[in-house]
Amino acid sequence: MTGISQSQDRSALEQEQFLKILSREDALARFEAALFPRAIARETRRLADALGAALAEDVVAPIDVPPFDRSNVDGFAVRSADLGAASEGAAVRLVLNGETIACGTAPILQVAGGTATPIATGGPLPRGADAVVMVEHTEPARSGAIDVRRAASPGQFVSYAGSDIARGEALLRAGTIIGSREIGMLAACGIAEVTAARKPRVAVISTGDELVQPGQPLAPAAIYDTNGAIVAAAIDENGGEADFLGAVPDDEEKLESAMRRALTDADMLVLSGGTSKGAGDLSHRIIGRLGKPGIIAHGVALKPGKPLCLAVCDGKPVVILPGFPTSAMFTFHDMIVPVLRKMAGLPPRSDARVSATVPVRIASELGRTEFVMVSLVEGKDGLIAYPSGKGSGAITSFAQADGFLRIDALADQMPAGTEAEVTLFTPHVRVPDLVIIGSHCTGLDLVTAPLARAGFSVRSIAVGSLGGLAAARRGECDLAPIHLFDDRSETYNTPYLVEGLELVPGWRRMQGIVFRKGDRRFEGLGAEEAVAKALNDPACIMVNRNQGAGTRILIDRLLGGARPEGYWNQPRSHNAVAAAVAQHRADWGMTIAPVAHASGLGFIPLAEEHYDFALVTARKQRPAVQAFLDALGSDDARAALKQAGFRPA
């Protein structure tokens, strides 16, 4: 009976969440319909404090600008009719009036026929004058007169009152972001204060027992709270005023208390975590007690971002973002930013878009609109978009990507070679100066550091040795780091080169078996003996490497066709292998000596492999490539590599 009850409770919990998965468009439409129309909160700002604010109402010019007819040049105010016959061969003489008009000086004397008045740039045009002649086009004459050898047309070098801004004209529209140019326009009209939209106050709460704030020691199984900081920053970027209230543990009473306090003072509440299926996820259940109408959407057909929860509690939006950083930021920018900007009186974001070719197949899930972050590089025939492939928990994938592409909910893949539209995270494409695609190595940062200091932008994309070679053959990178052993020739890398690629020697690194110190199954044994012993122990779990990596080829040779427990666990980096062993998720794997030693693990040397670079010959003379080659051969780089445990070639 107890088993049935537990099953019913679990089923009820799952039904309580995700009652209906909505499309992105339907969820956003419902959310906005529950919030708008609504009045935008306003505040009065002094002009000196208005930079970056959004106007809450139209601004009408109270005066003409300029407020009087004024001269555009240094010269003489004249009557154009007096100079109709003037030419180089027949000068017209004008008698100077007894005043000089400077800026800020009101004219007194009228310009009568046959006279002229000296005037400075910006000076008010005197009565009777309808034009200005430049001083360069005149010559002094006797008895306080000038000779003019050029005809003048009415209005010449004159700015009329209201020619820049006319009294009663709509100077700036509501929603305009006030920048330095707008401040100049307001100041020219004598406007000292403006009515601006008040920034919405947005409370931010992270949820989860596992969260630790940056700067605090990290306990086992705990993680640093990245969402709190990044969500707060994104709110400030999009017109809000974030108030980060810290992380709250998975305690229903404490969480409800924190949410109620936040909604008392804030215009909006954003939480991260607590939206997926799990007994520890409490936020969505609390929302129902905070105000009407409550949850608008819980579960959106997005990837990443399916667990997104949208609610409105007594007129205030409450958003629960997924816990994974990439999911949280994608859903925030795609679903929450439009609402936040509307509340802040800001216009919608205008994202730049470019067309790019996707070089590899991207699998997708039917029924969910998927957003895939990509890094852009320059190919032979235009931009190439490489998917990040780091997953929704990777904060770096969002920070390092150039933009994202969209896979429709009705598609189960995006085939290789597809021409796709990429939405940029920045207004312009930032194509890197140097593109490195291939195998991962910690030594690469040591060589590229001088390039960054010299002002070159470097992008490194880890896809494995074989993936890097494929990218180099397609002309999508400058260099492909590789460490591939050829059984026939028993040499590294050179047999894998094709026409158009040349080998640049890099460094040597020791590959070997990594294990926890004190493990008797490995301690004191050679690599082949240790692997044989591990294969005979069913409880001994390995961690592999991704297909296409040079390390994977070495592992498969060592295993000789065996597929032990853990073989299909295939992380993409040496650090991930070491972490799996150190954290007892695996007992052994293969990595490089520097990573094993940095993790405090035991290490059994197997083979010194050659980590070299396949250079695309056609790109060899590019300045960034030459800078890389210079850095690679420098004494400083060689010393740094040796210190890190590598042996320069």
Side-chain angles (χ1 to χ4, degrees):
M1 195 72 175
T2 303
I4 296 175
S5 177
Q6 289 177 345
S7 176
Q8 288 175 340
D9 288 345
R10 189 180 305 113
S11 176
L13 176 64
E14 292 178 357
Q15 290 174 4
E16 179 186 356
Q17 308 185 71
F18 305 149
L19 291 176
K20 184 179 181 182
I21 303 298
L22 301 177
S23 70
R24 169 194 175 276
E25 292 74 17
D26 194 13
L28 187 56
R30 293 188 185 192
F31 193 38
E32 291 190 337
L35 285 170
F36 303 107
R38 65 193 291 142
I40 296 175
R42 303 179 175 205
E43 63 183 4
T44 300
R45 289 203 185 191
R46 295 185 306 114
L47 197 57
D49 301 324
L51 186 66
L55 286 174
E57 60 187 20
D58 294 348
V59 176
V60 176
I63 64 169
D64 289 326
V65 179
F68 48 80
D69 298 349
R70 69 185 180 194
S71 174
N72 292 336
V73 296
D74 291 338
F76 300 90
V78 299
R79 298 163 65 101
S80 59
D82 289 342
L83 300 175
S87 67
E88 289 294 332
V92 173
R93 182 161 294 180
L94 299 175
V95 177
L96 294 179
N97 292 311
E99 69 173 348
T100 298
I101 303 172
C103 288
T105 301
I108 299 173
L109 302 177
Q110 178 173 334
V111 175
T115 68
T117 297
I119 190 169
T121 302
L125 202 67
R127 178 182 175 88
D130 65 358
V132 176
V133 293
M134 295 176 68
V135 67
E136 296 92 327
H137 299 158
T138 66
E139 295 177 356
R142 296 177 183 176
S143 304
I146 57 170
D147 288 336
V148 183
R149 297 185 180 275
R150 290 193 183 185
S153 58
Q156 176 177 284
F157 298 128
V158 174
S159 286
Y160 290 104
S163 59
D164 188 1
I165 302 170
R167 183 196 301 267
E169 176 185 344
L171 186 63
L172 295 169
R173 293 293 185 185
T176 300
I177 308 300
I178 301 175
S180 57
R181 294 175 299 175
E182 288 74 22
I183 285 178
M185 294 172 66
L186 293 165
C189 290
I191 297 173
E193 294 180 336
V194 293
T195 302
R198 178 178 61 77
K199 290 185 175 183
R201 293 184 290 267
V202 184
V204 180
I205 297 175
S206 298
T207 65
D209 296 331
E210 75 281 12
L211 297 181
V212 176
Q213 292 306 307
Q216 301 299 315
L218 200 62
I223 59 172
Y224 284 118
D225 176 18
T226 57
N227 282 0
I230 195 172
V231 170
I235 288 167
D236 289 339
E237 284 179 341
N238 287 279
E241 189 176 275
D243 182 14
F244 179 52
L245 303 179
V248 178
D250 289 323
D251 179 286
E252 188 160 356
E253 184 177 339
K254 290 180 179 178
L255 184 56
E256 181 171 350
S257 176
M259 292 171 71
R260 287 187 180 278
R261 287 196 307 271
L263 285 173
T264 299
D265 299 321
D267 302 303
M268 183 179 193
L269 172 60
V270 177
L271 301 94
S272 64
T275 68
S276 294
K277 296 179 182 179
D281 295 328
L282 311 169
S283 312
H284 73 283
R285 297 205 293 272
I286 297 171
I287 285 176
R289 304 193 289 267
L290 298 182
K292 300 297 183 181
I295 291 178
I296 304 299
H298 189 202
V300 183
L302 287 173
K303 184 179 179 182
K306 177 183 175 182
L308 175 68
C309 181
L310 305 174
V312 176
C313 297
D314 294 338
K316 295 185 177 183
V318 178
V319 177
I320 310 178
L321 300 172
F324 276 145
T326 297
S327 294
M329 291 315 297
F330 248 124
T331 49
F332 180 83
H333 281 278
D334 187 55
M335 302 288 288
I336 313 308
V337 164
V339 169
L340 176 59
R341 292 181 70 88
K342 207 168 183 179
M343 291 176 63
L346 298 175
R349 287 173 62 101
S350 55
D351 295 320
R353 292 175 172 82
V354 296
S355 182
T357 302
V358 180
V360 295
R361 175 183 176 273
I362 304 175
S364 185
E365 183 179 334
L366 275 173
R368 292 170 67 183
T369 300
E370 181 166 0
F371 297 104
V372 181
M373 281 178 291
V374 295
S375 296
L376 295 173
V377 299
E378 194 74 57
K380 292 179 180 178
D381 301 313
L383 292 173
I384 307 295
Y386 267 90
S388 70
K390 289 188 176 183
S392 60
I395 188 64
T396 54
S397 59
F398 198 87
Q400 296 173 359
D402 292 302
F404 62 90
L405 54 82
R406 172 176 171 157
I407 302 178
D408 191 77
L410 298 178
D412 64 354
Q413 64 164 312
M414 180 173 283
T418 299
E419 190 79 8
E421 183 181 72
V422 176
T423 300
L424 300 179
F425 291 138
T426 56
H428 306 287
V429 179
R430 301 176 299 175
V431 177
D433 299 310
L434 183 72
V435 178
I436 302 173
I437 301 178
S439 177
H440 167 81
C441 183
T442 54
L444 199 54
D445 290 335
L446 302 175
V447 179
T448 57
L451 276 72
R453 290 194 293 268
F456 292 105
S457 59
V458 180
R459 171 157 295 152
S460 179
I461 302 175
V463 297
S465 296
L466 293 176
L469 277 176
R473 286 195 295 267
R474 294 191 298 261
E476 296 167 2
C477 63
D478 300 298
L479 297 143
I482 56 175
H483 50 103
L484 297 169
F485 186 78
D486 179 60
D487 287 321
R488 293 182 180 179
S489 63
E490 295 190 348
T491 60
Y492 270 97
N493 300 328
T494 302
Y496 291 89
L497 300 181
V498 297
E499 186 178 355
L501 302 180
E502 56 186 89
L503 194 72
V504 175
W507 50 88
R508 308 296 175 250
R509 57 186 195 177
M510 184 60 70
Q511 292 259 38
I513 304 300
V514 65
F515 62 96
R516 289 182 297 280
K517 290 180 179 179
D519 192 330
R520 295 180 179 178
R521 293 170 296 188
F522 301 97
E523 201 78 67
L525 301 179
E528 293 185 2
E529 186 181 1
V531 171
K533 198 166 184 179
L535 292 177
N536 288 327
D537 183 355
C540 193
I541 299 177
M542 75 168 292
V543 55
N544 206 343
R545 274 296 304 275
N546 57 300
Q547 200 156 4
T551 303
R552 172 64 172 270
I553 296 173
L554 199 58
I555 293 173
D556 285 341
R557 289 179 61 218
L558 197 61
L559 291 175
R563 298 293 183 266
E565 183 74 20
Y567 180 86
W568 301 110
N569 181 13
Q570 304 174 36
R572 302 179 68 87
S573 74
H574 293 295
N575 294 66
V577 170
V581 175
Q583 296 165 10
H584 292 255
R585 290 181 284 110
D587 299 306
W588 70 278
M590 186 174 291
T591 187
I592 56 177
V595 171
H597 298 326
S599 301
L601 297 171
F603 184 76
I604 304 173
L606 174 62
E608 187 180 60
E609 67 171 6
H610 295 203
Y611 186 88
D612 299 323
F613 299 89
L615 168 63
V616 179
T617 304
R619 301 167 78 116
K620 187 174 183 178
Q621 298 306 317
R622 299 181 66 200
V625 175
Q626 288 297 307
F628 176 85
L629 297 177
D630 291 342
L632 181 62
S634 69
D635 292 339
D636 288 345
R638 295 174 68 84
L641 287 168
K642 286 179 182 178
Q643 187 175 1
F646 303 105
R647 187 170 68 86

